[in-house]
Amino acid sequence: EMNYLTIIIEKISLNNQLIQQIAEKDTELIRSISEFIAAHNKEDQYEFFIEAFLIFINKLSKYPTCIQNLVDARIPEVGLDYISKGKQLKIDEMDIDDLIQKLSSIQNVMKIIKNCYERNIKESDKKAIQDMVRNHSEMINISDQLLQKYSDHDDIAIIVVNIIICFNSINKQLKPARVKTWIENFTNRLIKCPNSKEIDKRYKMWYMEKYVFILELLVTKNIDKIEKDITIKLTEITKLDKAYFNRTTWYKLVKILAHLRYLSILFNDKDIFKNIFLFILEA
């Protein structure tokens, strides 16, 4: 029965119209999923089903009409509890495949919570989410350690930074030095990607879009931490090989430039000014 239910949930997830109808009306399903996760979060045999439900809830959380129902069903609390149980936090002891699976689970939960927090919910619920996330702030340190340990593994780095960004969107606890390090890290990844021999040409556009997405979030969520030296580093994106750009990449890169408060100071440098001007024209 659980296998059958999981197949149905996966099929529904592929149909945006059905997802929207559930988001607007089906509070009973959301409550049932929350109760199931809470009841079985320590039992390994249910892990596959819980992961499938979290992916489904993550899709629901993109619809504003559903957000208060998710909060009322205690989804943020149940999700945080699930990713904090037992082996879920021993991610530095796992092999790569298991690690990516666990990190993906944490990422799903944090995206759900971030979507709930940033929508129009009761102030008391916002405060409760802030407190819950603050009590799990050790995940930022664990994520940071993983980012250093697997600095050459792109898939892990992308997931880890997404997790950190979700935490930071709720509790502004990131130090400027960390933000600077991550921006430099992903700017370098972005610059190297077009000429990388390690990444298949078929996937370069996908990776570049992911790097740009992370840079956009790091910049727009930490504008007060973007100093002149980071701004200079980010202007290097104007020199990128644009063969693997798509419309989303172009848009997000221009958006990044638009959020750099020290950019106007750099216009005294004719080369930087020319590169930015030509980049925007080409976009």
Side-chain angles (χ1 to χ4, degrees):
E1 288 177 348
M2 287 303 303
N3 285 326
Y4 187 50
L5 176 59
T6 305
I7 291 170
I8 294 172
I9 290 289
E10 287 174 351
K11 293 289 185 184
I12 292 172
S13 297
L14 298 174
N15 188 313
N16 290 334
Q17 190 174 0
L18 277 177
I19 283 280
Q20 187 170 356
Q21 288 180 16
I22 291 171
E24 291 173 356
K25 300 174 183 177
D26 204 337
T27 56
E28 188 59 38
L29 176 61
I30 294 169
R31 190 176 297 108
S32 296
I33 289 175
S34 177
E35 291 172 356
F36 180 88
I37 296 173
H40 301 290
N41 64 12
K42 293 181 182 179
E43 301 172 56
D44 290 348
Q45 67 266 36
Y46 290 105
E47 191 172 313
F48 171 78
F49 307 116
I50 292 175
E51 301 290 344
F53 291 151
L54 288 175
I55 292 170
F56 176 69
I57 292 292
N58 187 22
K59 292 200 173 188
L60 284 180
S61 72
K62 295 173 184 176
Y63 293 90
T65 51
C66 185
I67 295 299
Q68 191 61 57
N69 291 334
L70 294 178
V71 174
D72 291 343
R74 297 175 53 244
I75 289 290
E77 178 184 345
V78 168
L80 270 176
D81 197 35
Y82 171 66
I83 61 176
S84 302
K85 292 293 181 185
K87 64 179 182 180
Q88 291 288 337
L89 279 181
K90 298 176 182 177
I91 48 183
D92 57 331
E93 301 173 6
M94 300 174 182
D95 60 42
I96 293 292
D97 290 339
D98 202 23
L99 176 60
I100 290 175
Q101 181 187 342
K102 297 307 171 190
L103 287 174
S104 297
S105 176
I106 294 172
Q107 178 182 234
N108 271 328
V109 170
M110 290 314 304
K111 280 184 176 180
I112 293 167
I113 296 171
K114 177 178 176 287
N115 289 342
C116 289
Y117 181 79
E118 291 182 342
R119 296 289 185 178
N120 186 24
I121 60 174
K122 301 171 189 172
E123 282 303 316
S124 58
D125 290 329
K126 274 186 181 286
K127 177 68 167 54
I129 289 174
Q130 272 186 324
D131 292 341
M132 280 188 284
V133 170
R134 191 178 297 116
N135 291 335
H136 291 78
S137 59
E138 76 280 356
M139 285 190 185
I140 292 181
N141 295 325
I142 293 172
S143 298
D144 205 16
Q145 291 166 17
L146 282 170
L147 194 60
Q148 294 175 26
K149 183 176 179 181
Y150 295 97
S151 58
D152 296 329
H153 199 293
D154 286 298
D155 292 326
I156 290 178
I158 288 169
I159 297 172
V160 166
V161 173
N162 269 327
I163 292 168
I164 294 169
I165 288 169
C166 288
F167 267 99
N168 190 50
S169 296
I170 300 167
N171 279 325
K172 312 285 185 183
Q173 295 179 332
L174 295 186
K175 296 178 181 177
R178 272 180 170 171
V179 174
K180 179 181 177 180
T181 299
W182 297 332
I183 287 177
E184 288 177 342
N185 184 304
F186 277 88
T187 302
N188 289 334
R189 289 174 191 268
L190 184 63
I191 292 168
K192 291 176 183 176
C193 187
N195 301 317
S196 172
K197 293 180 181 179
E198 297 174 3
I199 302 175
D200 191 299
K201 285 184 178 180
R202 294 172 296 174
Y203 305 117
K204 285 185 178 182
M205 184 179 289
W206 184 88
Y207 276 106
M208 289 185 76
E209 186 176 334
K210 289 295 180 184
Y211 299 152
V212 170
F213 173 74
I214 284 170
L215 284 171
E216 179 207 2
L217 289 175
L218 284 171
V219 170
T220 57
K221 299 291 185 182
N222 298 280
I223 293 175
D224 58 319
K225 299 180 178 73
I226 308 298
E227 301 297 339
K228 186 177 177 181
D229 56 338
I230 309 180
T231 303
I232 293 172
K233 181 67 180 177
L234 283 165
T235 59
E236 293 181 22
I237 63 179
T238 61
K239 305 173 190 175
L240 280 171
D241 181 347
K242 303 166 186 70
Y244 300 99
F245 280 21
N246 57 25
R247 290 183 180 182
T248 301
T249 303
W250 275 112
Y251 167 71
K252 290 187 179 298
L253 286 174
V254 173
K255 185 177 178 181
I256 288 168
L257 292 173
H259 279 79
L260 301 177
R261 57 180 178 155
Y262 286 100
L263 195 60
S264 58
I265 298 174
L266 302 181
F267 284 171
N268 294 325
D269 185 313
K270 290 183 179 179
D271 288 334
I272 290 178
F273 176 77
K274 181 182 176 182
N275 287 335
I276 293 172
F277 186 67
L278 291 175
F279 183 84
I280 291 172
L281 279 177
E282 193 172 352

